[in-house]
């Protein structure tokens, strides 16, 4: 009972260094407020994100996972995010099979100039995850 | 034995204001392998860096975590500090507790636990860091400048003056670009040709510059210091070596086409030089309008050419050249004429664009500098200028300001007043933006000395009345409708990125914004670099700017190139992919996913039982690899790893954050 009340969603974010991490930095320099739910892991490219990392996050009780990369066509490495797009589409379908609500998973394209979009994304995604409640993994533990 | 030191930065009150530093420090002490924790007011400052160096020595630290601002800000600073204490610079991790935490979470209750998590992530990750060494690659000491406008010419001259070889590439038959089309330049009223043509000639004659006109970039391979660029030399059908530029051919040519240089206000022949001061002053044959290419008969130019330079058999030629650096200076386009139907451009011949007006007032233009209306050649007495046609218009045009229109329109008003006695000019504007040295004074002069009448408001429509045009607009300062009868209307149409900017960007591997302007590496601190190392920007291709700013940026880009080319070898980032040959099964799924073709097949010998067998494994060319990590995810056996972002490290980061 008390767990539920004090519960704040915890979201793991994978941000590519060139666009989305820079976008998150811009949200910071522009002092945009957004929920403290997100913890960002910096990767060179969204194409570096192995679905294994996401599965592990859910396995360890993350309430949500966000993968953010450059807009298609704008990848710093030319093509990395095209692979991400296909790979993450597949993963979304696969999550159900793993027993994870696909609504806990989000892929967004956020450029280095879209600080606002980063802040909005975190805000919206946090609310969505909050509505879903704590990760089943956590609920089982408590 | 890992001995990690954690340095938590207050950043004045930037971090300390919303993150409880003391709690972060306490939490860090309990993290695995952490033997030393310290907090500093400003870790990036000289004393802050000194404190890191001292702690490394005193406490025998072999890993460092700095919890401060974004690694995009100070990673290099702290790597240098760590290296200063004798530690490998890659044994450092940064926890971004400013941009990603203190600045976005206004209360300590939200910010502090998150900051602790971020520090833990860095502590866990740094434990997996290994010492890495920078690679060394040789530098080809030649530069390619793409675009022969004022930006490209300036960049080429500056690089050449620094003692490096330059190829100046231009896709039109002559260098000169937009500036060659202009009449006078604001705010000094220097004649554009008078200040540009000497530079064009200087570029052509400079011993270090090779001019390649009528050429385009076909393909770009390689990386900083080692670009391999395939250039398409378009067929000119004129042999450059034998042609003397005597001009007989274009005097005789019966083919006619609308002149690009005169913005359609005059005709040119099918064999032509774009303008009299062209550099090189040698013609090309425009295939589309040449009678010979259209009908198979004519060849008049060939018959009259005294040196036999005309060669109808010429074909496009592809050449590959090596360069160490590239400057992109491809310039801009102007908004399409027919976007604003209500202004009747194309419908009424006396509604023209500002660029057309430049040609009309230009002494070398179609009217020899006499301002005559295109319709009947009459000298206009009432000239209306309309500002922001397409610029600052989110509905029909582009939201940004084109930056040059206010000033060149003031110039046009002055020129009209000087050239046509008694003429009256009216300028419809939204705001006058005269930010620049002597710009405001220039605009005031147009108003006071040259009686330009500025009317604040947009024009609704233009309709013909007799042989003049009625401009209907609104004066928003007086709040009333205005109707002005005009003889000539000039539209200040928006500056746009080149239509094919996206294609060029993809060929070069640089990024561009939503409008098609190429993106600089940092809006303020790296305005001439791109995100692709070794490729630099100059001029309008990066965004609207006037000639002084263009020249300044071109010189800036040239300085960067000169610095790069002055090195014998370049040090490369060691954060590249690495293949574990034992695990590699030789499936080569990594090969097609690599955008840089950095993965090669390598044969190795292995002992299997008592036999030696040969098999193929992946091998990474570390000079070409840029460390994106695409191959690591494609790898089915987990043999591919990315140094600095290994699979184990990323998994451990996930674990650290999920605690």
């Amino acid at each position: 009972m008390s767990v539920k009340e004090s519960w704040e969603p915890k979201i793991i974010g994978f941000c590519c260094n060139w666009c989305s991490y820079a976008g998150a930095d811009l949200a910071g320099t522009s002092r945009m407020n957004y929920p403290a739910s997100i913890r960002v892991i910096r990767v060179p490219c969204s194409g570096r994100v192995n679905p294994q990392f996401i599965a592990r996050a859910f396995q360890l009780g993350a309430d949500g996972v966000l993968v953010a990369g450059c807009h298609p066509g704008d990848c710093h490495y030319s093509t990395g995010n095209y692979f991400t797009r296909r790979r993450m589409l597949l993963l979304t379908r696969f999550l159900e099979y793993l027993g994870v609500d696909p609504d806990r998973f989000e892929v967004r394209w956020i450029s280095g100039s879209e600080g606002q979009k980063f802040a909005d994304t975190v805000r919206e995604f946090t609310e969505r995850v909050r509505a879903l409640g704590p990760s089943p993994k956590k609920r089982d533990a408590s | 034995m890992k001995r990690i030191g954690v340095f938590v930065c207050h950043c004045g009150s930037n971090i300390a204001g919303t993150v409880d530093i003391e709690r972060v420090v306490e939490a860090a002490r309990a993290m695995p392998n952490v033997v030393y924790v310290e907090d500093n007011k400003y870790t990036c400052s000289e004393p802050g860096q000194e404190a890191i160096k001292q702690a490394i020595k005193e406490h025998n630290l072999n890993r460092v975590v700095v919890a401060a601002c974004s690694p995009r800000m100070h990673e290099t600073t702290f790597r240098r500090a760590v290296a200063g204490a004798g530690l490998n610079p890659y044994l450092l991790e940064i926890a971004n507790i400013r941009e990603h935490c203190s600045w976005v979470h206004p209360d300590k209750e939200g910010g502090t636990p998150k900051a602790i998590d971020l520090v833990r992530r860095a502590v866990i990750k740094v434990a997996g860091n290994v010492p890495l060494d920078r690679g060394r690659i040789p530098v080809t000491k030649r530069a390619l400048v793409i675009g022969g406008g004022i930006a490209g010419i300036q960049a080429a001259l500056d690089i050449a003056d620094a003692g490096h070889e330059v190829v100046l590439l231009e896709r039109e038959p002559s260098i000169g670009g937009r500036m060659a089309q202009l009449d006078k330049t604001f705010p000094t009223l220097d004649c554009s040709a008078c200040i540009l043509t000497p530079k064009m000639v200087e570029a052509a004659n400079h011993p270090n510059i090779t001019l390649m006109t009528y050429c385009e970039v076909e393909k770009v391979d390689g990386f900083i210091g080692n670009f391999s660029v395939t250039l398409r030399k378009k067929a000119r059908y004129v042999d450059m070596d034998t042609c003397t530029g005597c001009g007989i051919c274009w005097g005789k040519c019966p083919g006619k086409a609308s002149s690009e240089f005169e913005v359609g206000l005059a005709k040119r022949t099918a064999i032509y030089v774009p303008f009299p001061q062209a550099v090189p002053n040698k013609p090309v044959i425009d295939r589309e309008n040449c009678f010979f290419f259209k009908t198979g008969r004519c060849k008049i130019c060939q018959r009259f050419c005294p040196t036999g330079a005309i060669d109808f058999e010429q074909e496009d030629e592809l050449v590959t050249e090596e360069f160490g650096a590239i400057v992109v200076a491809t310039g801009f386009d102007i908004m399409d004429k027919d976007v604003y139907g209500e202004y009747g451009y194309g419908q009424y011949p006396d509604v023209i664009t500002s660029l057309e007006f430049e040609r009309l007032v230009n002494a070398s233009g179609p009217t020899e500098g006499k301002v005559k209306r295109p319709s009947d050649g009459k000298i206009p007495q009432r000239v209306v200028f309309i500002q922001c046609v397409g610029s600052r218009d989110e509905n029909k045009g582009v939201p940004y300001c084109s930056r040059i229109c206010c000033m060149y329109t003031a110039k046009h008003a002055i020129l009209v007043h000087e050239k046509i006695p008694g003429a009256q000019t009216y300028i419809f504007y939204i705001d006058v933006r005269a930010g620049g040295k002597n710009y405001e004074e220039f605009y005031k002069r147009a108003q006071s000395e040259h009686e330009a009448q500025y009317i604040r408001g947009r024009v609704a429509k233009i309709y013909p009345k007799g042989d003049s045009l009625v401009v209907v607009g609104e004066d928003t300062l007086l709040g009333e409708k205005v109707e002005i009868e005009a003889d000539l209307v000039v539209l200040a149409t928006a500056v746009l990125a080149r239509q094919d900017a996206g294609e060029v960007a993809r060929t070069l591997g640089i990024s561009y914004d939503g409008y098609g302007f190429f993106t600089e590496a940092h809006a303020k601190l790296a305005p001439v670099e791109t995100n692709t190392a070794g490729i630099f920007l100059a001029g309008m291709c990066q965004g609207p700017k006037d000639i002084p700013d263009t020249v300044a940026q071109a010189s800036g880009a040239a300085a960067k190139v000169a610095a790069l080319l002055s090195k014998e070898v370049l040090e490369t980032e060691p954060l590249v992919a690495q293949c574990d040959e034992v695990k590699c099964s030789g499936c080569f799924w990594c090969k097609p996913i690599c955008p840089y073709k950095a993965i090669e097949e390598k044969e190795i010998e292995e002992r299997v039982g008592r036999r030696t067998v040969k098999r193929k494994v992946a091998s990474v060319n570390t000079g070409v690899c840029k460390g994106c990590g695409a191959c690591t995810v494609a790898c089915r056996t987990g043999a591919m790893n990315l140094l600095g972002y290994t699979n184990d490290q990323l998994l451990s980061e996930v674990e650290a954050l999920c605690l």
Side-chain angles (χ1 to χ4, degrees):
Chain A
M1 183 67 191
S2 64
V3 173
K4 181 114 196 191
E5 270 166 18
S6 65
W7 172 73
E8 274 298 316
K10 191 176 258 191
I11 294 167
I12 307 297
F14 292 94
C15 286
C16 82
N17 179 46
W18 305 99
C19 289
S20 306
Y21 198 93
D25 277 359
L26 182 63
T29 30
S30 316
R31 313 295 201 276
M32 292 164 181
N33 285 345
Y34 57 78
S37 53
I38 187 144
R39 312 276 189 269
V40 171
I41 294 175
R42 180 179 175 220
V43 284
C45 176
S46 60
R48 172 69 187 95
V49 182
N50 197 317
Q52 215 187 342
F53 306 157
I54 297 159
R56 174 63 64 88
F58 283 123
Q59 188 185 29
L60 294 175
D63 299 307
V65 175
L66 169 72
V67 174
C70 308
H71 286 263
D74 285 351
C75 178
H76 179 73
Y77 304 102
S78 307
T79 51
N81 55 3
Y82 292 138
F83 293 103
T84 312
R85 186 163 63 178
R86 278 184 260 169
R87 196 177 284 141
M88 294 310 157
L89 194 69
L90 271 175
L91 177 70
T92 310
R93 296 191 190 161
F94 192 63
L95 283 177
E96 253 176 300
Y97 173 77
L98 291 180
V100 176
D101 189 335
D103 271 351
R104 294 185 183 276
F105 178 56
E106 181 66 272
V107 183
R108 284 284 174 95
W109 313 122
I110 300 170
S111 83
S113 57
E114 293 176 327
Q116 186 69 53
K117 186 171 178 187
F118 182 83
D120 290 345
T121 300
V122 174
R123 207 172 296 128
E124 285 162 24
F125 189 39
T126 304
E127 283 324 302
R128 197 167 86 199
V129 170
R130 194 190 302 280
L132 293 171
S135 146
K137 180 81 193 161
K138 257 185 216 158
R139 272 190 308 232
D140 297 346
S142 63
Chain B
M1 179 65 187
K2 274 145 200 163
R3 298 178 59 83
I4 301 174
V6 178
F7 299 83
V8 186
C9 182
H10 292 232
C11 196
S13 65
N14 279 308
I15 294 170
T18 45
V19 167
D20 189 336
I21 301 284
E22 227 168 281
R23 265 167 66 197
V24 176
V25 169
E26 276 318 303
R29 282 192 214 285
M31 290 176 193
N33 299 319
V34 172
V35 294
Y36 181 75
V37 186
E38 181 185 315
D39 57 311
N40 302 88
K41 200 94 191 143
Y42 292 102
T43 312
C44 63
S45 69
E46 201 53 45
Q49 293 187 44
E50 258 334 290
I52 296 179
K53 289 181 200 169
Q54 216 171 339
I56 291 174
K57 286 175 190 153
E58 268 175 32
H59 300 272
N60 202 16
L61 304 177
N62 54 23
R63 300 282 192 287
V64 170
V65 167
V66 178
C69 53
S70 171
R72 292 172 54 92
M73 186 85 196
H74 273 315
E75 193 167 53
T76 329
T77 314
F78 293 126
R79 277 200 180 139
R80 231 177 270 144
V82 168
L87 211 59
N88 184 286
Y90 293 90
L91 297 175
L92 164 93
E93 278 299 322
I94 291 186
N96 183 350
I97 60 167
R98 192 178 76 174
E99 280 85 344
H100 287 194
C101 190
S102 73
W103 273 352
V104 286
H105 310 312
D107 59 292
K108 287 193 178 180
E109 279 325 294
T112 310
K114 177 166 170 179
I116 293 169
D117 276 6
L118 295 180
V119 172
R120 188 187 310 111
R121 180 205 67 80
V123 166
I124 301 285
K125 186 182 178 194
V126 83
N129 281 15
V130 291
L132 299 172
D133 289 317
R134 289 171 157 257
R136 292 161 72 81
I137 47 172
V139 178
T140 309
K141 291 178 170 262
R142 291 179 85 213
L144 170 68
V145 177
I146 306 170
I150 181 60
I153 292 172
Q154 184 67 41
L157 283 172
D158 287 352
I159 299 167
D161 283 343
H164 306 293
E165 221 182 292
V166 185
V167 169
L168 178 57
L169 191 86
E170 168 60 52
R171 72 166 153 195
E172 298 298 328
S174 166
I175 57 169
R178 292 282 182 209
M179 191 175 165
Q181 290 178 288
L182 308 183
D183 180 45
K184 301 276 195 299
T185 52
F186 61 79
T188 48
L189 294 183
D190 283 318
C191 145
S192 184
C194 310
I195 54 178
L196 176 69
T197 44
K199 277 193 185 285
M200 290 162 62
V201 174
E202 199 188 333
N205 294 336
H206 202 293
N208 282 343
I209 298 179
T210 310
L211 219 56
M212 288 182 78
T213 54
Y214 219 47
C215 285
E216 286 183 36
V217 175
E218 191 80 6
K219 200 168 129 223
V220 177
D221 284 323
F223 50 95
I224 183 170
N226 298 274
F227 291 106
S228 172
V229 183
T230 307
L231 306 168
R232 174 179 294 274
K233 290 172 135 173
K234 294 186 280 186
R236 296 179 87 106
Y237 306 107
V238 172
D239 184 74
M240 289 291 274
D241 294 329
T242 43
C243 174
T244 59
C246 68
I248 292 175
C249 54
W250 67 81
K252 299 285 180 191
C253 176
K256 289 279 179 285
S258 148
S259 162
E260 296 84 0
F261 183 78
E262 299 292 357
V263 219
L265 291 173
K267 297 268 184 222
R268 61 159 171 81
T269 45
I271 184 165
Y272 72 107
V273 288
F275 53 102
Q277 304 95 326
V279 172
N281 206 338
K282 292 179 183 178
V284 297
I285 294 178
D286 154 23
R287 227 187 131 102
E288 305 223 315
N289 293 296
C290 168
F291 278 125
F292 173 71
F293 283 112
K294 280 199 295 193
T295 65
R297 259 179 286 172
C298 181
K299 290 197 176 180
I300 289 179
C301 48
Q302 198 174 41
R303 223 177 321 137
F304 281 96
C305 178
T307 59
I310 312 284
D311 175 11
F312 289 105
E313 307 293 305
Q314 235 181 46
E315 278 175 14
D316 287 8
E317 196 187 329
L318 292 179
V319 288
T320 303
E321 302 221 9
E322 308 296 319
F323 299 100
I326 299 175
V327 177
V328 189
T330 49
F332 64 104
D333 275 334
I334 289 167
M335 181 171 248
D336 208 15
K337 319 162 168 186
D338 36 22
V339 175
Y340 288 82
E342 64 269 39
Y343 295 166
Y345 185 99
Q347 198 182 343
Y348 314 133
D350 294 331
V351 177
I352 60 172
T353 65
S354 299
L355 193 57
E356 289 171 332
F357 187 82
E358 290 285 346
R359 296 311 305 153
L360 280 187
V361 286
N362 196 306
S364 71
T367 57
E368 286 163 346
K370 293 199 178 63
V371 184
K372 291 180 184 167
R373 322 202 299 177
S375 63
D376 52 10
K378 240 176 66 182
I379 311 267
Q381 287 302 317
R382 299 155 300 178
V383 184
V384 170
F385 293 91
I386 306 175
Q387 301 279 273
C388 296
V389 179
S391 319
R392 307 179 69 199
D393 181 355
E394 287 185 35
N395 296 326
K396 280 183 143 179
V398 289
Y400 58 81
C401 166
S402 293
R403 274 191 64 190
I404 52 173
C405 320
C406 286
M407 292 309 294
Y408 71 58
T409 299
K411 173 190 79 181
H412 288 169
I414 293 175
L415 292 177
V416 167
H417 192 251
E418 278 181 350
K419 291 206 166 188
I420 311 170
Q424 177 61 51
T425 52
Y426 304 89
I427 298 163
F428 282 91
Y429 71 101
I430 305 180
D431 299 290
V432 172
R433 296 187 164 174
K437 198 172 170 181
N438 294 326
Y439 285 11
E440 182 72 14
E441 295 91 320
F442 184 77
Y443 146 64
K444 289 285 181 210
R445 224 169 78 214
Q447 270 185 313
S448 58
E449 289 174 32
H450 299 280
E451 293 159 24
Q453 196 179 328
Y454 277 76
I455 304 164
R456 190 179 190 280
R458 269 205 189 275
V459 169
K461 69 171 176 183
I462 297 170
Y463 65 87
K465 187 178 161 194
D467 70 344
S468 56
L469 297 159
V470 180
V471 181
V472 185
E474 191 197 9
D475 187 328
T476 55
L477 295 180
L478 297 176
E480 48 187 48
K481 191 176 147 188
V482 275
E483 281 195 18
I484 294 169
E485 254 191 75
D487 303 311
L488 184 67
V489 177
V490 183
L491 310 180
T493 40
V495 164
L496 300 181
R498 285 275 185 205
Q499 249 177 356
D500 57 354
E503 218 177 293
V504 172
R506 280 189 289 276
T507 306
L508 289 162
I510 58 177
S511 45
Y512 55 103
D513 66 17
Y515 308 116
F517 292 114
F518 301 138
T519 315
E520 62 282 1
H522 190 285
K524 283 162 250 174
L525 304 177
V528 300
E529 291 97 327
T530 64
N531 269 337
T532 305
I535 301 185
F536 304 90
L537 302 175
M540 283 268 207
C541 65
Q542 180 255 342
K545 58 179 67 66
D546 54 21
I547 295 169
D549 284 3
T550 295
V551 172
Q553 195 186 20
S555 289
K560 293 278 174 189
V561 170
L564 169 62
L565 298 187
S566 67
K567 291 181 189 141
E568 295 301 324
V569 285
L570 276 180
E571 292 200 320
T572 57
E573 272 297 318
L575 303 177
V576 290
Q578 198 179 41
C579 178
D580 182 343
E581 290 173 2
V582 177
K583 281 187 193 165
C584 178
S585 66
C587 72
F588 297 110
W589 274 59
C590 49
K591 262 182 92 171
I593 204 172
C594 175
Y596 307 103
K597 301 189 175 63
I599 295 167
E600 291 151 11
E601 296 184 18
K602 180 176 130 186
E603 202 170 65
I604 55 163
E605 286 187 353
E606 244 179 6
R607 297 281 295 174
V608 177
R610 291 197 182 161
R611 284 187 311 140
T612 305
V613 290
K614 283 183 181 173
R615 68 183 186 98
K616 279 187 172 172
V617 293
S619 165
V620 179
N621 177 345
T622 52
V624 184
C625 176
K626 289 203 178 167
C628 70
C631 55
T632 59
V633 188
C635 182
R636 303 192 284 192
T637 59
M640 272 293 177
N641 229 331
L642 183 62
L643 296 173
Y645 298 93
T646 63
N647 290 325
D648 285 347
Q649 280 182 303
L650 283 161
L651 282 170
S652 72
E653 286 178 77
V654 170
E655 282 163 28
L657 290 177
C658 285
L659 271 181

